[in-house]
Amino acid sequence: MTTAPAQREYFLDSIRAWLMLLGIPFHISLIYSSHTWHVNSIEPSWWLTLFNDFIHAFRMQVFFVISGYFSYMLFLRYPLKRWWKVRVERVGIPMLTAIPLLTLPQFMMLQYVKGKAQNWHTLTPYEKYNTLVWELVSHLWFLLVLVVLTTVSLWIFSRLRQRLSARADRFFAHITLGKLSLLFLLLGIAYAALRRALFIAWPPILSDGLFNFVVMQTLFYLPFFLIGALAFVYPRLKALFTTPSPWCAVAAALAFIAYLLNQRYGSGEAWMYETESVITMLMGLWMVNVVFALGHRLLNFESKRVTYFVNASLFIYLVHHPLTLFFGAYITPHIASNALGFLAGLVFVIGIALVLYEIHLRIPLLRFLFSGKPQNKVASIKVRG
């Protein structure tokens, strides 16, 4: 058992940043996919649909493993209340900032783009509330889930630190990917059973935005968050993820095929969503090995360029969503080629996001609001004539 990493985990910082930035091609490809979204191209693209499905099937599972790893690392550094305050500020302040500055204007724009603004008064009070929850939280959902997981972990991490024992050491000293796969299979089945029970007992609850984010999403990603925390504690577990496993790569590929078949032939009125939860629970675990092993080999170094994108990733992720929807609503209809539109969308969104990031760096209040960190004074920039 260990309580501190031997060195800075550059590859984990990099993976976390690139997983967030992968949200840009994910949402732009969603415009051109066969999935119904806020805005869609006239004709869907099969390869962009495949690309979109692949990212969706594993990205956030790996992200929450890394979040759990760093959360427990910081938990051991700070007093309990200080840890909770720091973690909640880091994710809660940017989330609360983005709602009025980004997702609210985005929601208003979409009301006019989709021609629904005139129908707002016909909705019941609950329908208005639920619509606002879905639309204003939008792509910020993972920040809300992190706030919930951090709060729940006040108890979980405290118990984990107190209950670490020789028995647990022996268990994790002999842990294998096969045992982990069996565990995550059972967790996926348990989650699917809970969802099906709710669907039978009270179907409307699954359409409630707040319940979906706070309860269902939190429950799904909790195992990944905890396995990340345990990977910080137990070197054997971390080594399983950072050592390349051909078995995991093949299993992840087969899980993705199963995911596609379920998307193609499943029915929302039957067991499609429950089946998907089992598949993505397992695929997420196996992709942790694939992504960590590649990242450990290719990204475990210090680089000013990588550090720049690590620092910029959250801001870019927050602003990319309204930029993507603007592109989809007003520019996509004028580009006949889906491939060209996808590439143009990447240039448009990333280019403007980087400009906005550089602008926000020069405004202390915005730097604080979009990072949740107290800001030091920035050295004055001298302009040579």
Side-chain angles (χ1 to χ4, degrees), residues 22-35 37 39-41 44-45 47-56 324 338 341-343 345-346:
L22 199 57
I24 300 175
F26 168 74
H27 284 116
I28 296 175
S29 65
L30 196 53
I31 297 173
Y32 298 99
S33 74
S34 59
H35 302 298
W37 199 40
V39 289
N40 288 104
S41 59
S45 164
W47 70 271
L48 285 172
T49 301
L50 188 68
F51 175 75
N52 184 269
D53 284 336
F54 178 68
I55 297 174
H56 184 261
T324 300
N338 285 342
F342 176 71
L343 294 175
L346 289 176

PDB file of all heavy atoms in Angstrom, residues 22-35 37 39-41 44-45 47-56 324 338 341-343 345-346:
ATOM      1  N   LEU A  22     -11.520  15.976 -26.082  1.00  0.00           N
ATOM      2  CA  LEU A  22     -12.179  15.074 -27.021  1.00  0.00           C
ATOM      3  C   LEU A  22     -13.671  15.355 -27.103  1.00  0.00           C
ATOM      4  O   LEU A  22     -14.348  14.926 -28.047  1.00  0.00           O
ATOM      5  CB  LEU A  22     -11.937  13.619 -26.587  1.00  0.00           C
ATOM      6  CG  LEU A  22     -12.127  12.517 -27.622  1.00  0.00           C
ATOM      7  CD1 LEU A  22     -11.231  12.747 -28.839  1.00  0.00           C
ATOM      8  CD2 LEU A  22     -11.825  11.157 -27.002  1.00  0.00           C
ATOM      9  N   GLY A  23     -14.179  16.102 -26.118  1.00  0.00           N
ATOM     10  CA  GLY A  23     -15.581  16.510 -26.174  1.00  0.00           C
ATOM     11  C   GLY A  23     -15.885  17.389 -27.383  1.00  0.00           C
ATOM     12  O   GLY A  23     -17.038  17.439 -27.841  1.00  0.00           O
ATOM     13  N   ILE A  24     -14.874  18.075 -27.920  1.00  0.00           N
ATOM     14  CA  ILE A  24     -15.098  18.942 -29.086  1.00  0.00           C
ATOM     15  C   ILE A  24     -15.419  18.113 -30.330  1.00  0.00           C
ATOM     16  O   ILE A  24     -16.493  18.285 -30.933  1.00  0.00           O
ATOM     17  CB  ILE A  24     -13.898  19.876 -29.319  1.00  0.00           C
ATOM     18  CG1 ILE A  24     -13.667  20.766 -28.098  1.00  0.00           C
ATOM     19  CG2 ILE A  24     -14.111  20.724 -30.572  1.00  0.00           C
ATOM     20  CD1 ILE A  24     -12.434  21.645 -28.198  1.00  0.00           C
ATOM     21  N   PRO A  25     -14.531  17.203 -30.759  1.00  0.00           N
ATOM     22  CA  PRO A  25     -14.917  16.374 -31.920  1.00  0.00           C
ATOM     23  C   PRO A  25     -16.122  15.491 -31.638  1.00  0.00           C
ATOM     24  O   PRO A  25     -16.876  15.162 -32.562  1.00  0.00           O
ATOM     25  CB  PRO A  25     -13.657  15.536 -32.196  1.00  0.00           C
ATOM     26  CG  PRO A  25     -12.862  15.581 -30.942  1.00  0.00           C
ATOM     27  CD  PRO A  25     -13.142  16.914 -30.328  1.00  0.00           C
ATOM     28  N   PHE A  26     -16.321  15.117 -30.371  1.00  0.00           N
ATOM     29  CA  PHE A  26     -17.503  14.313 -30.037  1.00  0.00           C
ATOM     30  C   PHE A  26     -18.780  15.074 -30.364  1.00  0.00           C
ATOM     31  O   PHE A  26     -19.678  14.544 -31.035  1.00  0.00           O
ATOM     32  CB  PHE A  26     -17.479  13.937 -28.553  1.00  0.00           C
ATOM     33  CG  PHE A  26     -18.781  13.359 -28.058  1.00  0.00           C
ATOM     34  CD1 PHE A  26     -19.139  12.062 -28.400  1.00  0.00           C
ATOM     35  CD2 PHE A  26     -19.654  14.099 -27.275  1.00  0.00           C
ATOM     36  CE1 PHE A  26     -20.347  11.512 -27.957  1.00  0.00           C
ATOM     37  CE2 PHE A  26     -20.850  13.564 -26.823  1.00  0.00           C
ATOM     38  CZ  PHE A  26     -21.196  12.269 -27.175  1.00  0.00           C
ATOM     39  N   HIS A  27     -18.898  16.317 -29.914  1.00  0.00           N
ATOM     40  CA  HIS A  27     -20.134  17.067 -30.142  1.00  0.00           C
ATOM     41  C   HIS A  27     -20.262  17.539 -31.586  1.00  0.00           C
ATOM     42  O   HIS A  27     -21.380  17.602 -32.116  1.00  0.00           O
ATOM     43  CB  HIS A  27     -20.214  18.256 -29.175  1.00  0.00           C
ATOM     44  CG  HIS A  27     -20.587  17.854 -27.781  1.00  0.00           C
ATOM     45  ND1 HIS A  27     -19.740  18.013 -26.706  1.00  0.00           N
ATOM     46  CD2 HIS A  27     -21.713  17.274 -27.294  1.00  0.00           C
ATOM     47  CE1 HIS A  27     -20.335  17.565 -25.611  1.00  0.00           C
ATOM     48  NE2 HIS A  27     -21.527  17.113 -25.935  1.00  0.00           N
ATOM     49  N   ILE A  28     -19.150  17.859 -32.228  1.00  0.00           N
ATOM     50  CA  ILE A  28     -19.240  18.250 -33.638  1.00  0.00           C
ATOM     51  C   ILE A  28     -19.656  17.048 -34.487  1.00  0.00           C
ATOM     52  O   ILE A  28     -20.490  17.178 -35.398  1.00  0.00           O
ATOM     53  CB  ILE A  28     -17.909  18.842 -34.133  1.00  0.00           C
ATOM     54  CG1 ILE A  28     -17.608  20.142 -33.382  1.00  0.00           C
ATOM     55  CG2 ILE A  28     -17.959  19.106 -35.636  1.00  0.00           C
ATOM     56  CD1 ILE A  28     -16.262  20.739 -33.715  1.00  0.00           C
ATOM     57  N   SER A  29     -19.096  15.880 -34.198  1.00  0.00           N
ATOM     58  CA  SER A  29     -19.504  14.680 -34.948  1.00  0.00           C
ATOM     59  C   SER A  29     -20.958  14.329 -34.673  1.00  0.00           C
ATOM     60  O   SER A  29     -21.629  13.725 -35.518  1.00  0.00           O
ATOM     61  CB  SER A  29     -18.604  13.497 -34.583  1.00  0.00           C
ATOM     62  OG  SER A  29     -18.759  13.117 -33.222  1.00  0.00           O
ATOM     63  N   LEU A  30     -21.474  14.725 -33.499  1.00  0.00           N
ATOM     64  CA  LEU A  30     -22.883  14.463 -33.177  1.00  0.00           C
ATOM     65  C   LEU A  30     -23.809  15.190 -34.147  1.00  0.00           C
ATOM     66  O   LEU A  30     -24.894  14.696 -34.483  1.00  0.00           O
ATOM     67  CB  LEU A  30     -23.166  14.903 -31.735  1.00  0.00           C
ATOM     68  CG  LEU A  30     -24.446  14.398 -31.059  1.00  0.00           C
ATOM     69  CD1 LEU A  30     -24.557  12.885 -31.147  1.00  0.00           C
ATOM     70  CD2 LEU A  30     -24.464  14.841 -29.601  1.00  0.00           C
ATOM     71  N   ILE A  31     -23.382  16.366 -34.619  1.00  0.00           N
ATOM     72  CA  ILE A  31     -24.165  17.111 -35.610  1.00  0.00           C
ATOM     73  C   ILE A  31     -24.347  16.264 -36.869  1.00  0.00           C
ATOM     74  O   ILE A  31     -25.436  16.230 -37.460  1.00  0.00           O
ATOM     75  CB  ILE A  31     -23.471  18.436 -35.980  1.00  0.00           C
ATOM     76  CG1 ILE A  31     -23.379  19.351 -34.760  1.00  0.00           C
ATOM     77  CG2 ILE A  31     -24.207  19.138 -37.125  1.00  0.00           C
ATOM     78  CD1 ILE A  31     -22.560  20.608 -35.025  1.00  0.00           C
ATOM     79  N   TYR A  32     -23.285  15.558 -37.259  1.00  0.00           N
ATOM     80  CA  TYR A  32     -23.280  14.832 -38.530  1.00  0.00           C
ATOM     81  C   TYR A  32     -23.590  13.344 -38.367  1.00  0.00           C
ATOM     82  O   TYR A  32     -23.486  12.584 -39.322  1.00  0.00           O
ATOM     83  CB  TYR A  32     -21.911  15.003 -39.200  1.00  0.00           C
ATOM     84  CG  TYR A  32     -21.613  16.446 -39.531  1.00  0.00           C
ATOM     85  CD1 TYR A  32     -20.809  17.225 -38.696  1.00  0.00           C
ATOM     86  CD2 TYR A  32     -22.157  17.047 -40.663  1.00  0.00           C
ATOM     87  CE1 TYR A  32     -20.557  18.547 -38.979  1.00  0.00           C
ATOM     88  CE2 TYR A  32     -21.910  18.370 -40.962  1.00  0.00           C
ATOM     89  CZ  TYR A  32     -21.108  19.119 -40.112  1.00  0.00           C
ATOM     90  OH  TYR A  32     -20.872  20.442 -40.404  1.00  0.00           O
ATOM     91  N   SER A  33     -23.964  12.936 -37.150  1.00  0.00           N
ATOM     92  CA  SER A  33     -24.265  11.530 -36.901  1.00  0.00           C
ATOM     93  C   SER A  33     -25.743  11.252 -37.168  1.00  0.00           C
ATOM     94  O   SER A  33     -26.528  12.160 -37.445  1.00  0.00           O
ATOM     95  CB  SER A  33     -23.928  11.174 -35.448  1.00  0.00           C
ATOM     96  OG  SER A  33     -24.891  11.724 -34.563  1.00  0.00           O
ATOM     97  N   SER A  34     -26.109   9.990 -37.040  1.00  0.00           N
ATOM     98  CA  SER A  34     -27.516   9.607 -37.205  1.00  0.00           C
ATOM     99  C   SER A  34     -28.302   9.795 -35.913  1.00  0.00           C
ATOM    100  O   SER A  34     -29.515   9.541 -35.889  1.00  0.00           O
ATOM    101  CB  SER A  34     -27.600   8.141 -37.651  1.00  0.00           C
ATOM    102  OG  SER A  34     -26.986   7.289 -36.698  1.00  0.00           O
ATOM    103  N   HIS A  35     -27.641  10.232 -34.842  1.00  0.00           N
ATOM    104  CA  HIS A  35     -28.326  10.480 -33.572  1.00  0.00           C
ATOM    105  C   HIS A  35     -29.036  11.840 -33.614  1.00  0.00           C
ATOM    106  O   HIS A  35     -28.479  12.827 -34.104  1.00  0.00           O
ATOM    107  CB  HIS A  35     -27.330  10.461 -32.413  1.00  0.00           C
ATOM    108  CG  HIS A  35     -26.569   9.173 -32.301  1.00  0.00           C
ATOM    109  ND1 HIS A  35     -27.185   7.967 -32.067  1.00  0.00           N
ATOM    110  CD2 HIS A  35     -25.242   8.908 -32.414  1.00  0.00           C
ATOM    111  CE1 HIS A  35     -26.273   7.012 -32.025  1.00  0.00           C
ATOM    112  NE2 HIS A  35     -25.092   7.548 -32.235  1.00  0.00           N
ATOM    113  N   TRP A  37     -30.024  15.244 -32.327  1.00  0.00           N
ATOM    114  CA  TRP A  37     -29.458  16.187 -31.372  1.00  0.00           C
ATOM    115  C   TRP A  37     -30.167  17.519 -31.539  1.00  0.00           C
ATOM    116  O   TRP A  37     -31.151  17.641 -32.265  1.00  0.00           O
ATOM    117  CB  TRP A  37     -27.946  16.314 -31.584  1.00  0.00           C
ATOM    118  CG  TRP A  37     -27.201  16.887 -30.412  1.00  0.00           C
ATOM    119  CD1 TRP A  37     -27.420  16.624 -29.096  1.00  0.00           C
ATOM    120  CD2 TRP A  37     -26.111  17.813 -30.469  1.00  0.00           C
ATOM    121  NE1 TRP A  37     -26.521  17.328 -28.314  1.00  0.00           N
ATOM    122  CE2 TRP A  37     -25.720  18.064 -29.128  1.00  0.00           C
ATOM    123  CE3 TRP A  37     -25.432  18.455 -31.506  1.00  0.00           C
ATOM    124  CZ2 TRP A  37     -24.671  18.938 -28.800  1.00  0.00           C
ATOM    125  CZ3 TRP A  37     -24.385  19.307 -31.189  1.00  0.00           C
ATOM    126  CH2 TRP A  37     -24.009  19.543 -29.849  1.00  0.00           C
ATOM    127  N   VAL A  39     -29.107  20.120 -33.067  1.00  0.00           N
ATOM    128  CA  VAL A  39     -28.941  20.499 -34.472  1.00  0.00           C
ATOM    129  C   VAL A  39     -28.325  19.317 -35.207  1.00  0.00           C
ATOM    130  O   VAL A  39     -27.453  18.642 -34.684  1.00  0.00           O
ATOM    131  CB  VAL A  39     -28.045  21.753 -34.622  1.00  0.00           C
ATOM    132  CG1 VAL A  39     -28.772  22.991 -34.142  1.00  0.00           C
ATOM    133  CG2 VAL A  39     -26.725  21.596 -33.866  1.00  0.00           C
ATOM    134  N   ASN A  40     -28.786  19.080 -36.437  1.00  0.00           N
ATOM    135  CA  ASN A  40     -28.272  17.967 -37.226  1.00  0.00           C
ATOM    136  C   ASN A  40     -28.105  18.379 -38.679  1.00  0.00           C
ATOM    137  O   ASN A  40     -28.831  19.249 -39.177  1.00  0.00           O
ATOM    138  CB  ASN A  40     -29.212  16.757 -37.162  1.00  0.00           C
ATOM    139  CG  ASN A  40     -29.187  16.051 -35.817  1.00  0.00           C
ATOM    140  OD1 ASN A  40     -30.101  16.194 -35.006  1.00  0.00           O
ATOM    141  ND2 ASN A  40     -28.137  15.289 -35.562  1.00  0.00           N
ATOM    142  N   SER A  41     -27.156  17.742 -39.350  1.00  0.00           N
ATOM    143  CA  SER A  41     -26.995  17.955 -40.777  1.00  0.00           C
ATOM    144  C   SER A  41     -28.156  17.299 -41.519  1.00  0.00           C
ATOM    145  O   SER A  41     -28.884  16.472 -40.954  1.00  0.00           O
ATOM    146  CB  SER A  41     -25.664  17.364 -41.261  1.00  0.00           C
ATOM    147  OG  SER A  41     -25.625  15.972 -40.980  1.00  0.00           O
ATOM    148  N   PRO A  44     -26.999  12.215 -42.486  1.00  0.00           N
ATOM    149  CA  PRO A  44     -26.005  11.741 -41.512  1.00  0.00           C
ATOM    150  C   PRO A  44     -24.837  11.043 -42.193  1.00  0.00           C
ATOM    151  O   PRO A  44     -24.951  10.568 -43.332  1.00  0.00           O
ATOM    152  CB  PRO A  44     -26.799  10.765 -40.644  1.00  0.00           C
ATOM    153  CG  PRO A  44     -27.877  10.254 -41.540  1.00  0.00           C
ATOM    154  CD  PRO A  44     -28.233  11.414 -42.436  1.00  0.00           C
ATOM    155  N   SER A  45     -23.728  10.991 -41.489  1.00  0.00           N
ATOM    156  CA  SER A  45     -22.522  10.324 -41.983  1.00  0.00           C
ATOM    157  C   SER A  45     -22.295   9.061 -41.156  1.00  0.00           C
ATOM    158  O   SER A  45     -22.259   9.107 -39.930  1.00  0.00           O
ATOM    159  CB  SER A  45     -21.315  11.260 -41.848  1.00  0.00           C
ATOM    160  OG  SER A  45     -20.092  10.547 -41.975  1.00  0.00           O
ATOM    161  N   TRP A  47     -19.557   7.209 -40.901  1.00  0.00           N
ATOM    162  CA  TRP A  47     -18.273   7.120 -40.201  1.00  0.00           C
ATOM    163  C   TRP A  47     -18.198   8.101 -39.032  1.00  0.00           C
ATOM    164  O   TRP A  47     -17.561   7.810 -38.004  1.00  0.00           O
ATOM    165  CB  TRP A  47     -17.103   7.320 -41.166  1.00  0.00           C
ATOM    166  CG  TRP A  47     -16.916   8.718 -41.717  1.00  0.00           C
ATOM    167  CD1 TRP A  47     -17.472   9.240 -42.836  1.00  0.00           C
ATOM    168  CD2 TRP A  47     -16.091   9.743 -41.157  1.00  0.00           C
ATOM    169  NE1 TRP A  47     -17.061  10.535 -43.024  1.00  0.00           N
ATOM    170  CE2 TRP A  47     -16.192  10.876 -42.012  1.00  0.00           C
ATOM    171  CE3 TRP A  47     -15.260   9.824 -40.039  1.00  0.00           C
ATOM    172  CZ2 TRP A  47     -15.514  12.065 -41.763  1.00  0.00           C
ATOM    173  CZ3 TRP A  47     -14.584  11.011 -39.792  1.00  0.00           C
ATOM    174  CH2 TRP A  47     -14.717  12.112 -40.650  1.00  0.00           C
ATOM    175  N   LEU A  48     -18.877   9.245 -39.139  1.00  0.00           N
ATOM    176  CA  LEU A  48     -18.919  10.161 -38.006  1.00  0.00           C
ATOM    177  C   LEU A  48     -19.852   9.638 -36.913  1.00  0.00           C
ATOM    178  O   LEU A  48     -19.632   9.897 -35.728  1.00  0.00           O
ATOM    179  CB  LEU A  48     -19.350  11.549 -38.473  1.00  0.00           C
ATOM    180  CG  LEU A  48     -18.271  12.338 -39.233  1.00  0.00           C
ATOM    181  CD1 LEU A  48     -18.834  13.620 -39.821  1.00  0.00           C
ATOM    182  CD2 LEU A  48     -17.080  12.645 -38.323  1.00  0.00           C
ATOM    183  N   THR A  49     -20.878   8.886 -37.299  1.00  0.00           N
ATOM    184  CA  THR A  49     -21.717   8.217 -36.303  1.00  0.00           C
ATOM    185  C   THR A  49     -20.896   7.180 -35.540  1.00  0.00           C
ATOM    186  O   THR A  49     -20.967   7.083 -34.306  1.00  0.00           O
ATOM    187  CB  THR A  49     -22.922   7.526 -36.970  1.00  0.00           C
ATOM    188  OG1 THR A  49     -23.692   8.494 -37.675  1.00  0.00           O
ATOM    189  CG2 THR A  49     -23.798   6.833 -35.940  1.00  0.00           C
ATOM    190  N   LEU A  50     -20.090   6.387 -36.267  1.00  0.00           N
ATOM    191  CA  LEU A  50     -19.228   5.386 -35.648  1.00  0.00           C
ATOM    192  C   LEU A  50     -18.209   6.037 -34.729  1.00  0.00           C
ATOM    193  O   LEU A  50     -17.980   5.577 -33.599  1.00  0.00           O
ATOM    194  CB  LEU A  50     -18.521   4.577 -36.739  1.00  0.00           C
ATOM    195  CG  LEU A  50     -17.711   3.364 -36.279  1.00  0.00           C
ATOM    196  CD1 LEU A  50     -18.640   2.287 -35.737  1.00  0.00           C
ATOM    197  CD2 LEU A  50     -16.877   2.814 -37.440  1.00  0.00           C
ATOM    198  N   PHE A  51     -17.615   7.118 -35.188  1.00  0.00           N
ATOM    199  CA  PHE A  51     -16.638   7.868 -34.392  1.00  0.00           C
ATOM    200  C   PHE A  51     -17.288   8.398 -33.115  1.00  0.00           C
ATOM    201  O   PHE A  51     -16.734   8.286 -32.018  1.00  0.00           O
ATOM    202  CB  PHE A  51     -16.092   9.018 -35.234  1.00  0.00           C
ATOM    203  CG  PHE A  51     -15.172   9.953 -34.503  1.00  0.00           C
ATOM    204  CD1 PHE A  51     -13.874   9.581 -34.199  1.00  0.00           C
ATOM    205  CD2 PHE A  51     -15.603  11.213 -34.127  1.00  0.00           C
ATOM    206  CE1 PHE A  51     -13.026  10.448 -33.521  1.00  0.00           C
ATOM    207  CE2 PHE A  51     -14.767  12.091 -33.459  1.00  0.00           C
ATOM    208  CZ  PHE A  51     -13.467  11.694 -33.156  1.00  0.00           C
ATOM    209  N   ASN A  52     -18.481   8.940 -33.254  1.00  0.00           N
ATOM    210  CA  ASN A  52     -19.203   9.490 -32.112  1.00  0.00           C
ATOM    211  C   ASN A  52     -19.555   8.405 -31.101  1.00  0.00           C
ATOM    212  O   ASN A  52     -19.399   8.587 -29.881  1.00  0.00           O
ATOM    213  CB  ASN A  52     -20.467  10.191 -32.602  1.00  0.00           C
ATOM    214  CG  ASN A  52     -21.227  10.869 -31.496  1.00  0.00           C
ATOM    215  OD1 ASN A  52     -22.110  10.279 -30.894  1.00  0.00           O
ATOM    216  ND2 ASN A  52     -20.895  12.117 -31.209  1.00  0.00           N
ATOM    217  N   ASP A  53     -20.021   7.270 -31.592  1.00  0.00           N
ATOM    218  CA  ASP A  53     -20.375   6.161 -30.706  1.00  0.00           C
ATOM    219  C   ASP A  53     -19.160   5.651 -29.938  1.00  0.00           C
ATOM    220  O   ASP A  53     -19.255   5.317 -28.747  1.00  0.00           O
ATOM    221  CB  ASP A  53     -20.992   5.013 -31.511  1.00  0.00           C
ATOM    222  CG  ASP A  53     -22.429   5.283 -31.919  1.00  0.00           C
ATOM    223  OD1 ASP A  53     -23.090   6.092 -31.244  1.00  0.00           O
ATOM    224  OD2 ASP A  53     -22.883   4.702 -32.909  1.00  0.00           O
ATOM    225  N   PHE A  54     -18.021   5.576 -30.607  1.00  0.00           N
ATOM    226  CA  PHE A  54     -16.811   5.072 -29.959  1.00  0.00           C
ATOM    227  C   PHE A  54     -16.395   5.968 -28.801  1.00  0.00           C
ATOM    228  O   PHE A  54     -16.108   5.489 -27.702  1.00  0.00           O
ATOM    229  CB  PHE A  54     -15.673   4.968 -30.979  1.00  0.00           C
ATOM    230  CG  PHE A  54     -14.380   4.500 -30.376  1.00  0.00           C
ATOM    231  CD1 PHE A  54     -14.254   3.208 -29.895  1.00  0.00           C
ATOM    232  CD2 PHE A  54     -13.297   5.360 -30.293  1.00  0.00           C
ATOM    233  CE1 PHE A  54     -13.054   2.766 -29.323  1.00  0.00           C
ATOM    234  CE2 PHE A  54     -12.099   4.939 -29.728  1.00  0.00           C
ATOM    235  CZ  PHE A  54     -11.978   3.643 -29.239  1.00  0.00           C
ATOM    236  N   ILE A  55     -16.389   7.277 -29.028  1.00  0.00           N
ATOM    237  CA  ILE A  55     -16.011   8.204 -27.959  1.00  0.00           C
ATOM    238  C   ILE A  55     -16.992   8.109 -26.801  1.00  0.00           C
ATOM    239  O   ILE A  55     -16.606   8.061 -25.628  1.00  0.00           O
ATOM    240  CB  ILE A  55     -15.955   9.646 -28.496  1.00  0.00           C
ATOM    241  CG1 ILE A  55     -14.874   9.776 -29.569  1.00  0.00           C
ATOM    242  CG2 ILE A  55     -15.690  10.637 -27.363  1.00  0.00           C
ATOM    243  CD1 ILE A  55     -14.844  11.134 -30.243  1.00  0.00           C
ATOM    244  N   HIS A  56     -18.282   8.052 -27.130  1.00  0.00           N
ATOM    245  CA  HIS A  56     -19.321   8.040 -26.099  1.00  0.00           C
ATOM    246  C   HIS A  56     -19.263   6.785 -25.234  1.00  0.00           C
ATOM    247  O   HIS A  56     -19.635   6.814 -24.061  1.00  0.00           O
ATOM    248  CB  HIS A  56     -20.697   8.146 -26.762  1.00  0.00           C
ATOM    249  CG  HIS A  56     -21.822   8.240 -25.794  1.00  0.00           C
ATOM    250  ND1 HIS A  56     -22.589   7.143 -25.449  1.00  0.00           N
ATOM    251  CD2 HIS A  56     -22.315   9.275 -25.073  1.00  0.00           C
ATOM    252  CE1 HIS A  56     -23.507   7.497 -24.572  1.00  0.00           C
ATOM    253  NE2 HIS A  56     -23.364   8.789 -24.319  1.00  0.00           N
ATOM    254  N   THR A 324     -20.244  25.075 -30.619  1.00  0.00           N
ATOM    255  CA  THR A 324     -20.607  23.965 -31.506  1.00  0.00           C
ATOM    256  C   THR A 324     -22.048  24.090 -31.979  1.00  0.00           C
ATOM    257  O   THR A 324     -22.359  23.877 -33.158  1.00  0.00           O
ATOM    258  CB  THR A 324     -20.414  22.624 -30.777  1.00  0.00           C
ATOM    259  OG1 THR A 324     -19.037  22.490 -30.399  1.00  0.00           O
ATOM    260  CG2 THR A 324     -20.807  21.455 -31.661  1.00  0.00           C
ATOM    261  N   ASN A 338     -20.245  16.574 -45.375  1.00  0.00           N
ATOM    262  CA  ASN A 338     -20.164  16.306 -43.951  1.00  0.00           C
ATOM    263  C   ASN A 338     -18.723  16.302 -43.447  1.00  0.00           C
ATOM    264  O   ASN A 338     -18.431  16.814 -42.355  1.00  0.00           O
ATOM    265  CB  ASN A 338     -20.821  14.958 -43.626  1.00  0.00           C
ATOM    266  CG  ASN A 338     -22.334  15.021 -43.679  1.00  0.00           C
ATOM    267  OD1 ASN A 338     -22.919  16.100 -43.623  1.00  0.00           O
ATOM    268  ND2 ASN A 338     -22.980  13.870 -43.793  1.00  0.00           N
ATOM    269  N   GLY A 341     -17.562  19.813 -43.348  1.00  0.00           N
ATOM    270  CA  GLY A 341     -18.235  20.489 -42.249  1.00  0.00           C
ATOM    271  C   GLY A 341     -17.635  20.117 -40.907  1.00  0.00           C
ATOM    272  O   GLY A 341     -17.464  20.967 -40.029  1.00  0.00           O
ATOM    273  N   PHE A 342     -17.315  18.841 -40.728  1.00  0.00           N
ATOM    274  CA  PHE A 342     -16.703  18.389 -39.486  1.00  0.00           C
ATOM    275  C   PHE A 342     -15.356  19.072 -39.261  1.00  0.00           C
ATOM    276  O   PHE A 342     -15.071  19.585 -38.168  1.00  0.00           O
ATOM    277  CB  PHE A 342     -16.535  16.872 -39.526  1.00  0.00           C
ATOM    278  CG  PHE A 342     -15.821  16.305 -38.331  1.00  0.00           C
ATOM    279  CD1 PHE A 342     -16.432  16.263 -37.085  1.00  0.00           C
ATOM    280  CD2 PHE A 342     -14.534  15.807 -38.459  1.00  0.00           C
ATOM    281  CE1 PHE A 342     -15.777  15.735 -35.981  1.00  0.00           C
ATOM    282  CE2 PHE A 342     -13.870  15.274 -37.360  1.00  0.00           C
ATOM    283  CZ  PHE A 342     -14.494  15.242 -36.124  1.00  0.00           C
ATOM    284  N   LEU A 343     -14.518  19.107 -40.286  1.00  0.00           N
ATOM    285  CA  LEU A 343     -13.209  19.756 -40.170  1.00  0.00           C
ATOM    286  C   LEU A 343     -13.358  21.256 -39.946  1.00  0.00           C
ATOM    287  O   LEU A 343     -12.639  21.848 -39.125  1.00  0.00           O
ATOM    288  CB  LEU A 343     -12.379  19.488 -41.430  1.00  0.00           C
ATOM    289  CG  LEU A 343     -11.973  18.018 -41.654  1.00  0.00           C
ATOM    290  CD1 LEU A 343     -11.257  17.868 -42.988  1.00  0.00           C
ATOM    291  CD2 LEU A 343     -11.079  17.531 -40.517  1.00  0.00           C
ATOM    292  N   GLY A 345     -15.848  22.699 -38.550  1.00  0.00           N
ATOM    293  CA  GLY A 345     -16.335  22.856 -37.189  1.00  0.00           C
ATOM    294  C   GLY A 345     -15.213  22.800 -36.172  1.00  0.00           C
ATOM    295  O   GLY A 345     -15.186  23.579 -35.206  1.00  0.00           O
ATOM    296  N   LEU A 346     -14.267  21.876 -36.353  1.00  0.00           N
ATOM    297  CA  LEU A 346     -13.115  21.786 -35.450  1.00  0.00           C
ATOM    298  C   LEU A 346     -12.315  23.081 -35.457  1.00  0.00           C
ATOM    299  O   LEU A 346     -11.930  23.604 -34.401  1.00  0.00           O
ATOM    300  CB  LEU A 346     -12.226  20.613 -35.856  1.00  0.00           C
ATOM    301  CG  LEU A 346     -12.766  19.196 -35.604  1.00  0.00           C
ATOM    302  CD1 LEU A 346     -11.789  18.159 -36.150  1.00  0.00           C
ATOM    303  CD2 LEU A 346     -12.991  18.971 -34.114  1.00  0.00           C
TER     304      LEU A 346
END
